[in-house]
mmCIF file of all heavy atoms in Angstrom:
data_model
loop_
_atom_site.group_PDB
_atom_site.id
_atom_site.type_symbol
_atom_site.label_atom_id
_atom_site.label_comp_id
_atom_site.label_asym_id
_atom_site.label_seq_id
_atom_site.Cartn_x
_atom_site.Cartn_y
_atom_site.Cartn_z
ATOM 1 N N ALA A 1 7.813 -1.427 -6.598
ATOM 2 C CA ALA A 1 6.667 -0.778 -5.931
ATOM 3 C C ALA A 1 6.972 -0.555 -4.504
ATOM 4 O O ALA A 1 6.694 0.626 -4.005
ATOM 5 C CB ALA A 1 5.461 -1.661 -5.994
ATOM 6 N N ARG A 2 7.672 -1.425 -3.772
ATOM 7 C CA ARG A 2 8.020 -1.245 -2.451
ATOM 8 C C ARG A 2 8.934 -0.012 -2.313
ATOM 9 O O ARG A 2 8.809 0.815 -1.395
ATOM 10 C CB ARG A 2 8.736 -2.476 -1.791
ATOM 11 C CG ARG A 2 7.754 -3.644 -1.480
ATOM 12 C CD ARG A 2 8.382 -4.773 -0.790
ATOM 13 N NE ARG A 2 7.334 -5.824 -0.351
ATOM 14 C CZ ARG A 2 6.634 -5.644 0.651
ATOM 15 N NH1 ARG A 2 6.747 -4.700 1.433
ATOM 16 N NH2 ARG A 2 5.820 -6.645 0.924
ATOM 17 N N ARG A 3 10.018 0.005 -3.256
ATOM 18 C CA ARG A 3 10.879 1.178 -3.076
ATOM 19 C C ARG A 3 10.239 2.474 -3.390
ATOM 20 O O ARG A 3 10.585 3.550 -2.867
ATOM 21 C CB ARG A 3 12.078 0.903 -4.171
ATOM 22 C CG ARG A 3 13.160 1.827 -3.957
ATOM 23 C CD ARG A 3 14.244 1.712 -5.018
ATOM 24 N NE ARG A 3 13.722 2.108 -6.319
ATOM 25 C CZ ARG A 3 14.602 1.893 -7.456
ATOM 26 N NH1 ARG A 3 15.768 1.462 -7.343
ATOM 27 N NH2 ARG A 3 14.032 2.324 -8.630
ATOM 28 N N GLY A 4 9.210 2.363 -4.296
ATOM 29 C CA GLY A 4 8.481 3.645 -4.559
ATOM 30 C C GLY A 4 7.435 4.121 -3.573
ATOM 31 O O GLY A 4 6.852 5.125 -3.779
ATOM 32 N N GLY A 5 7.300 3.348 -2.543
ATOM 33 C CA GLY A 5 6.411 3.721 -1.423
ATOM 34 C C GLY A 5 4.932 3.280 -1.554
ATOM 35 O O GLY A 5 4.047 3.681 -0.851
ATOM 36 N N LEU A 6 4.675 2.335 -2.471
ATOM 37 C CA LEU A 6 3.362 1.807 -2.607
ATOM 38 C C LEU A 6 3.212 0.574 -1.698
ATOM 39 O O LEU A 6 3.242 -0.629 -2.180
ATOM 40 C CB LEU A 6 3.105 1.433 -4.064
ATOM 41 C CG LEU A 6 1.679 0.892 -4.443
ATOM 42 C CD1 LEU A 6 0.622 2.013 -4.063
ATOM 43 C CD2 LEU A 6 1.545 0.615 -5.807
ATOM 44 N N VAL A 7 3.108 0.840 -0.450
ATOM 45 C CA VAL A 7 3.018 -0.213 0.495
ATOM 46 C C VAL A 7 1.887 0.102 1.572
ATOM 47 O O VAL A 7 1.785 1.279 2.000
ATOM 48 C CB VAL A 7 4.354 -0.397 1.278
ATOM 49 C CG1 VAL A 7 4.263 -1.485 2.317
ATOM 50 C CG2 VAL A 7 5.460 -0.704 0.321
ATOM 51 N N ASP A 8 1.114 -0.905 1.941
ATOM 52 C CA ASP A 8 0.040 -0.663 2.909
ATOM 53 C C ASP A 8 0.579 -0.750 4.361
ATOM 54 O O ASP A 8 1.751 -0.942 4.562
ATOM 55 C CB ASP A 8 -1.083 -1.736 2.831
ATOM 56 C CG ASP A 8 -2.224 -1.345 1.993
ATOM 57 O OD1 ASP A 8 -2.234 -0.128 1.821
ATOM 58 O OD2 ASP A 8 -2.994 -2.175 1.666
ATOM 59 N N ALA A 9 -0.210 -0.337 5.282
ATOM 60 C CA ALA A 9 0.153 -0.345 6.693
ATOM 61 C C ALA A 9 0.544 -1.802 7.194
ATOM 62 O O ALA A 9 1.275 -1.827 8.138
ATOM 63 C CB ALA A 9 -0.955 0.179 7.562
ATOM 64 N N ASP A 10 -0.001 -2.803 6.521
ATOM 65 C CA ASP A 10 0.316 -4.153 6.962
ATOM 66 C C ASP A 10 1.401 -4.714 6.159
ATOM 67 O O ASP A 10 1.636 -5.939 6.124
ATOM 68 C CB ASP A 10 -0.890 -5.056 6.798
ATOM 69 C CG ASP A 10 -1.479 -5.059 5.354
ATOM 70 O OD1 ASP A 10 -0.907 -4.323 4.474
ATOM 71 O OD2 ASP A 10 -2.522 -5.783 5.127
ATOM 72 N N ASP A 11 2.247 -3.830 5.404
ATOM 73 C CA ASP A 11 3.399 -4.148 4.732
ATOM 74 C C ASP A 11 3.214 -4.997 3.494
ATOM 75 O O ASP A 11 4.082 -5.874 3.199
ATOM 76 C CB ASP A 11 4.485 -4.820 5.647
ATOM 77 C CG ASP A 11 5.935 -4.903 5.048
ATOM 78 O OD1 ASP A 11 6.253 -3.826 4.424
ATOM 79 O OD2 ASP A 11 6.668 -5.882 5.163
ATOM 80 N N THR A 12 2.052 -4.902 2.851
ATOM 81 C CA THR A 12 1.771 -5.566 1.526
ATOM 82 C C THR A 12 1.673 -4.476 0.537
ATOM 83 O O THR A 12 1.431 -3.305 0.756
ATOM 84 C CB THR A 12 0.465 -6.278 1.711
ATOM 85 O OG1 THR A 12 -0.728 -5.385 1.893
ATOM 86 C CG2 THR A 12 0.525 -7.365 2.756
ATOM 87 N N VAL A 13 1.944 -4.904 -0.621
ATOM 88 C CA VAL A 13 1.900 -4.038 -1.866
ATOM 89 C C VAL A 13 0.457 -4.041 -2.404
ATOM 90 O O VAL A 13 -0.023 -5.184 -2.954
ATOM 91 C CB VAL A 13 2.841 -4.437 -2.931
ATOM 92 C CG1 VAL A 13 2.691 -3.554 -4.257
ATOM 93 C CG2 VAL A 13 4.303 -4.264 -2.439
ATOM 94 N N PRO A 14 -0.334 -2.960 -2.329
ATOM 95 C CA PRO A 14 -1.771 -2.945 -2.736
ATOM 96 C C PRO A 14 -1.934 -2.804 -4.305
ATOM 97 O O PRO A 14 -2.492 -1.815 -4.734
ATOM 98 C CB PRO A 14 -2.378 -1.832 -1.988
ATOM 99 C CG PRO A 14 -1.175 -0.837 -1.873
ATOM 100 C CD PRO A 14 0.023 -1.685 -1.727
ATOM 101 N N LEU A 15 -1.463 -3.785 -5.016
ATOM 102 C CA LEU A 15 -1.394 -3.658 -6.533
ATOM 103 C C LEU A 15 -1.592 -5.001 -7.110
ATOM 104 O O LEU A 15 -0.879 -5.905 -6.654
ATOM 105 C CB LEU A 15 -0.049 -3.003 -6.804
ATOM 106 C CG LEU A 15 0.160 -2.643 -8.337
ATOM 107 C CD1 LEU A 15 -0.878 -1.468 -8.745
ATOM 108 C CD2 LEU A 15 1.513 -2.191 -8.611
ATOM 109 N N ASP A 16 -2.492 -4.986 -8.121
ATOM 110 C CA ASP A 16 -2.631 -6.309 -8.890
ATOM 111 C C ASP A 16 -1.707 -6.195 -10.049
ATOM 112 O O ASP A 16 -1.678 -5.245 -10.836
ATOM 113 C CB ASP A 16 -4.135 -6.283 -9.408
ATOM 114 C CG ASP A 16 -5.108 -6.579 -8.221
ATOM 115 O OD1 ASP A 16 -4.738 -7.233 -7.256
ATOM 116 O OD2 ASP A 16 -6.247 -5.927 -8.319
ATOM 117 N N ILE A 17 -0.943 -7.310 -10.284
ATOM 118 C CA ILE A 17 0.112 -7.298 -11.284
ATOM 119 C C ILE A 17 -0.320 -8.277 -12.364
ATOM 120 O O ILE A 17 -0.563 -9.389 -12.021
ATOM 121 C CB ILE A 17 1.471 -7.660 -10.689
ATOM 122 C CG1 ILE A 17 1.795 -6.663 -9.529
ATOM 123 C CG2 ILE A 17 2.577 -7.609 -11.775
ATOM 124 C CD1 ILE A 17 3.078 -7.114 -8.785
ATOM 125 N N ALA A 18 -0.392 -7.911 -13.586
ATOM 126 C CA ALA A 18 -0.824 -8.666 -14.721
ATOM 127 C C ALA A 18 0.298 -8.848 -15.716
ATOM 128 O O ALA A 18 0.665 -7.870 -16.391
ATOM 129 C CB ALA A 18 -2.019 -8.045 -15.439
ATOM 130 N N PRO A 19 0.873 -10.125 -15.883
ATOM 131 C CA PRO A 19 1.892 -10.323 -16.974
ATOM 132 C C PRO A 19 1.181 -10.307 -18.275
ATOM 133 O O PRO A 19 0.081 -10.975 -18.317
ATOM 134 C CB PRO A 19 2.504 -11.598 -16.510
ATOM 135 C CG PRO A 19 1.396 -12.379 -15.759
ATOM 136 C CD PRO A 19 0.733 -11.283 -15.009
ATOM 137 N N LEU A 20 1.797 -9.791 -19.256
ATOM 138 C CA LEU A 20 1.229 -9.793 -20.592
ATOM 139 C C LEU A 20 2.185 -10.578 -21.499
ATOM 140 O O LEU A 20 3.357 -10.177 -21.738
ATOM 141 C CB LEU A 20 1.139 -8.342 -21.064
ATOM 142 C CG LEU A 20 0.774 -8.028 -22.636
ATOM 143 C CD1 LEU A 20 -0.381 -8.832 -23.022
ATOM 144 C CD2 LEU A 20 0.683 -6.567 -22.859
ATOM 145 N N PHE A 21 1.781 -11.698 -21.956
ATOM 146 C CA PHE A 21 2.561 -12.543 -22.857
ATOM 147 C C PHE A 21 2.308 -12.181 -24.290
ATOM 148 O O PHE A 21 1.166 -12.351 -24.753
ATOM 149 C CB PHE A 21 2.185 -14.037 -22.567
ATOM 150 C CG PHE A 21 2.292 -14.506 -21.119
ATOM 151 C CD1 PHE A 21 1.309 -15.139 -20.507
ATOM 152 C CD2 PHE A 21 3.497 -14.303 -20.528
ATOM 153 C CE1 PHE A 21 1.477 -15.537 -19.196
ATOM 154 C CE2 PHE A 21 3.636 -14.720 -19.161
ATOM 155 C CZ PHE A 21 2.650 -15.363 -18.459
ATOM 156 N N GLU A 22 3.476 -11.832 -24.980
ATOM 157 C CA GLU A 22 3.242 -11.156 -26.309
ATOM 158 C C GLU A 22 3.931 -11.874 -27.404
ATOM 159 O O GLU A 22 3.536 -11.601 -28.547
ATOM 160 C CB GLU A 22 3.657 -9.679 -26.214
ATOM 161 C CG GLU A 22 2.894 -8.879 -25.269
ATOM 162 C CD GLU A 22 3.108 -7.370 -25.362
ATOM 163 O OE1 GLU A 22 2.531 -6.780 -26.286
ATOM 164 O OE2 GLU A 22 3.992 -6.808 -24.641
ATOM 165 N N THR A 23 4.919 -12.747 -27.186
ATOM 166 C CA THR A 23 5.487 -13.482 -28.232
ATOM 167 C C THR A 23 4.977 -14.749 -28.283
ATOM 168 O O THR A 23 4.319 -15.301 -27.317
ATOM 169 C CB THR A 23 7.048 -13.468 -27.988
ATOM 170 O OG1 THR A 23 7.329 -14.368 -26.874
ATOM 171 C CG2 THR A 23 7.661 -12.083 -27.734
ATOM 172 N N VAL A 24 5.143 -15.406 -29.404
ATOM 173 C CA VAL A 24 4.669 -16.812 -29.577
ATOM 174 C C VAL A 24 5.369 -17.838 -28.520
ATOM 175 O O VAL A 24 4.635 -18.605 -27.955
ATOM 176 C CB VAL A 24 4.831 -17.430 -31.026
ATOM 177 C CG1 VAL A 24 4.574 -18.815 -31.026
ATOM 178 C CG2 VAL A 24 4.019 -16.605 -32.007
ATOM 179 N N ASP A 25 6.619 -17.626 -28.292
ATOM 180 C CA ASP A 25 7.327 -18.423 -27.304
ATOM 181 C C ASP A 25 6.744 -18.187 -25.932
ATOM 182 O O ASP A 25 6.632 -19.072 -25.090
ATOM 183 C CB ASP A 25 8.748 -18.139 -27.348
ATOM 184 C CG ASP A 25 9.551 -18.839 -28.558
ATOM 185 O OD1 ASP A 25 8.845 -19.696 -29.118
ATOM 186 O OD2 ASP A 25 10.662 -18.394 -28.860
ATOM 187 N N ASP A 26 6.511 -16.845 -25.602
ATOM 188 C CA ASP A 26 5.983 -16.581 -24.279
ATOM 189 C C ASP A 26 4.435 -17.206 -24.025
ATOM 190 O O ASP A 26 4.255 -17.648 -23.053
ATOM 191 C CB ASP A 26 5.998 -15.129 -24.023
ATOM 192 C CG ASP A 26 7.349 -14.622 -23.803
ATOM 193 O OD1 ASP A 26 8.233 -15.358 -23.191
ATOM 194 O OD2 ASP A 26 7.647 -13.447 -24.118
#
């Protein structure tokens, strides 16, 4: 996201990231 330019003026990434656990082991 940082490389793609999705960065706020305060140098934070304004994005909520949700891991999706899909296997039984995960």
Side-chain angles (χ1 to χ4, degrees):
R2 286 186 175 279
R3 189 183 67 181
L6 185 56
V7 183
D8 260 348
D10 57 0
D11 197 39
T12 61
V13 175
L15 188 65
D16 296 320
I17 305 172
L20 170 51
F21 301 129
E22 297 193 82
T23 69
V24 172
D25 284 343
D26 287 330

